[in-house]
Amino acid sequence: MITPTDSQRSRLAELARYFLRLGFLGFGGPVALVGQMERELVDGKKWLTKQEMKESIAICQSLPGPLAIQVGIYVSWLRGGFWGAWVGGWCFILPNFVIVASLGALYVYLGDLQPVTAIFYGVSPAVIALILHSCYRLARLGMEDWLQWAIAAVCLAVTVILQAEVALLFIGAGVVGILYYGKPFKRSPAILPGIAIVPAAAGPIAPVASGSTLSKLLLFFLKAGSLTFGSGLVIVPFLEQGLVQQYNWLDERQFLIAVAIGMISPGPVVITATFVGYLVAGFWGSVVSTIGIFLPSFLLVLIVAPLLARHRGNANVQGFVKGAYAAAIGTILGACILLGKIAIGDWLTALIGIVSLAVLFRWKISNPLLIAATAVVGLIAYPWLQPSWVMVH
């Protein structure tokens, strides 16, 4: 006779095996990953009903954080309870961590070589095209009216001109969304503070000057992990401001390389944190950065998601989400402008960017294939052109 403990262990082992495999093979971005989970877990393994899967996606879309990872954590919670969520979530993340930390080590030891510079000379403009294309898809998915576009325009302008704290933009946009779409002065279930608490609390948690680099990295990425509202790409402007301008841990070229690594590796874009952590503080830097970027997702799914499941129809909740989503679009576009100045400096990089964007709109080409093609272009063209504007370090 199978005891409850044996049954629980069996489910935890099932979750570990499934999400380790998905983590290694899960290319294509959050939409593709969630679609794969739906096919395999609803139609294949019968772990969930279609309704449960739809509910999981809707709830996780309403939370800050990388969508695919959070759906994985939520599904694991439904399947294996509290410990199931931790096992499934970290098994999903582990393969991404191993791959990206290894790439970080290779870059640290090979970064001085001209071929490495040549590769990223070709790849950097393609990264800008990938971000723009993803932003277009996100806008089609969630931008519904004039107010959202107005919020996006303001956030774009603030990001480009003032390079202001992204947390304040998101909170302000969420409040505008509540005032316009919600019913802020009507008594309703007190769910909104539960959703807003992580980004709101994130504002003052800036890494302090004292303390070790590891503790600074952990605090910085805990903050970043609570601000990826709407898409993992929202982390790009936040990281650019903190890592490049505020703390000078990376230069702009290294930052673009980190974003490229995040976009071509399996799993979410926010795995960029692992690469950044390795560049700043070696292996243990990659460990604490990875924990920092993903820990808020676990806490949100385990604490806030059950509340959201009950109160998702709340008008104030929906208003906050709409406002924050619009802010995400604006800050991503602002980051594209800032990063584009670094990635595009001559006729060839401009051409790579334009052609990459056209290819992404015309054909469903995978991110790794596009990056590989532009890397080859960089390897061939860089020795001939020897562009002096490219920053290697």
Side-chain angles (χ1 to χ4, degrees):
M1 182 176 176
I2 298 175
T3 66
T5 305
D6 292 336
S7 175
Q8 176 74 354
R9 284 177 181 166
S10 174
R11 288 194 171 198
L12 293 179
E14 279 182 333
L15 287 166
R17 283 194 300 270
Y18 175 76
F19 281 106
L20 280 170
R21 184 182 67 83
L22 185 64
F24 270 116
L25 303 175
F27 289 95
V31 176
L33 282 169
V34 170
Q36 185 175 341
M37 276 188 266
E38 185 169 17
R39 287 192 307 275
E40 293 175 349
L41 301 183
V42 176
D43 300 331
K45 294 181 180 292
K46 310 287 186 188
W47 284 1
L48 302 166
T49 65
K50 281 201 170 182
Q51 186 57 39
E52 283 175 325
M53 191 67 192
K54 286 171 79 172
E55 184 87 350
S56 301
I57 296 168
I59 288 168
C60 293
Q61 279 180 322
S62 302
L63 294 170
L67 177 64
I69 292 292
Q70 289 188 328
V71 170
I73 295 169
Y74 192 79
V75 164
S76 299
W77 176 68
L78 290 175
R79 178 72 176 166
F82 177 83
W83 292 114
W86 289 97
V87 168
W90 286 115
C91 284
F92 197 178
I93 293 161
L94 180 62
N96 305 181
F97 169 79
V98 171
I99 292 167
V100 175
S102 301
L103 290 171
L106 283 173
Y107 179 76
V108 166
Y109 293 111
L110 301 177
D112 290 342
L113 300 180
Q114 181 175 299
V116 176
T117 306
I119 286 170
F120 288 106
Y121 168 71
V123 163
S124 295
V127 171
I128 303 300
L130 283 166
I131 297 174
L132 280 172
H133 183 251
S134 298
C135 190
Y136 168 78
R137 291 174 61 188
L138 287 168
R140 287 190 62 190
L141 188 67
M143 299 293 278
E144 298 171 0
D145 59 25
W146 69 270
L147 180 64
Q148 284 187 293
W149 283 110
I151 291 171
V154 169
C155 290
L156 186 156
V158 170
T159 302
V160 172
I161 298 168
L162 302 179
Q163 296 169 2
E165 175 57 69
V166 176
L168 297 179
L169 292 179
F170 277 71
I171 294 165
V175 170
V176 171
I178 293 169
L179 293 173
Y180 185 80
Y181 301 108
K183 298 173 182 176
F185 305 111
K186 181 180 176 182
R187 287 185 66 85
S188 56
I191 178 67
L192 183 64
I195 298 172
I197 192 165
V198 174
I205 306 178
V208 291
S210 61
S212 70
T213 302
L214 291 179
S215 63
K216 289 181 184 179
L217 277 169
L218 180 62
L219 286 172
F220 179 78
F221 281 109
L222 280 170
K223 181 178 179 181
S226 65
L227 294 174
T228 54
F229 213 111
S231 162
L233 287 173
V234 177
I235 202 175
V236 171
F238 177 81
L239 292 187
E240 196 271 340
Q241 183 204 0
L243 298 172
V244 178
Q245 299 172 35
Q246 191 173 356
Y247 297 107
N248 297 311
W249 281 334
L250 305 180
D251 64 34
E252 283 138 329
R253 175 64 51 182
Q254 289 172 324
F255 178 71
L256 268 174
I257 291 166
V259 174
I261 295 296
M263 296 195 80
I264 64 174
S265 60
V269 177
V270 297
I271 201 68
T272 293
T274 302
F275 188 83
V276 169
Y278 201 101
L279 264 58
V280 174
F283 174 75
W284 291 111
S286 68
V287 171
V288 300
S289 298
T290 305
I291 291 170
I293 201 73
F294 288 113
L295 186 58
S297 291
F298 285 88
L299 300 179
L300 283 164
V301 170
L302 291 171
I303 297 168
V304 180
L307 296 172
L308 260 182
R310 293 197 295 271
H311 301 291
R312 212 161 34 84
N314 182 293
N316 292 333
V317 171
Q318 293 175 344
F320 183 89
V321 170
K322 283 186 176 182
Y325 195 95
I329 299 297
T331 53
I332 293 169
L333 288 172
C336 277
I337 293 171
L338 294 172
L339 294 173
K341 294 176 182 177
I342 311 304
I344 299 171
D346 56 23
W347 66 269
L348 180 60
T349 46
L351 184 63
I352 291 171
I354 292 167
V355 171
S356 297
L357 199 58
V359 166
L360 286 166
F361 276 105
R362 180 66 181 85
W363 296 285
K364 290 184 178 179
I365 185 172
S366 68
N367 291 3
L369 184 58
L370 178 65
I371 295 297
T374 53
V376 171
V377 173
L379 281 169
I380 295 170
Y382 185 84
W384 286 358
L385 297 176
Q386 291 290 326
S388 59
W389 60 271
V390 175
M391 289 178 295
V392 183
H393 301 294

